[in-house]
Amino acid sequence: MTKGYQYTTEQEAQTAQAACNAYYGIPVNDEDVTRNWVGYSFAELNTPTFWYIVYDSSLDVVLGAPTEFEVIQPDPNA
């Protein structure tokens, strides 16, 4: 199980990412190497598919309480 934040559209994941960036002031300037406070991923093997952000305690204040959900990973032996 994955603990985090689940989104039905990529736009929702981008909005959550932007909220974290705004809260933490990332990026500081256009030359800053760090572009995002948090990344998001696409659960392409799940049905239905979804986007998600993996939980970190720094996200509580911005995104609220996380949930647990399953992300199907590709078989590394396939």
Side-chain angles (χ1 to χ4, degrees):
M1 295 297 281
T2 298
K3 185 175 183 178
Y5 307 90
Q6 191 174 359
Y7 305 97
T8 56
T9 68
E10 186 174 17
Q11 181 59 51
E12 290 174 331
Q14 290 170 342
T15 299
Q17 181 184 55
C20 293
N21 290 346
Y23 184 83
Y24 287 105
I26 303 294
V28 173
N29 60 55
D30 289 339
E31 298 174 4
D32 206 0
V33 174
T34 303
R35 306 306 299 171
N36 295 297
W37 183 259
V38 67
Y40 62 88
S41 299
F42 183 52
E44 63 183 307
L45 298 178
N46 286 67
T47 302
T49 59
F50 59 88
W51 287 260
Y52 65 97
I53 294 174
V54 174
Y55 175 73
D56 181 84
S57 61
S58 68
L59 304 177
D60 286 338
V61 67
V62 183
L63 302 180
T67 61
E68 288 192 354
F69 48 89
E70 182 180 4
V71 176
I72 299 171
Q73 300 295 334
D75 183 351
N77 300 315

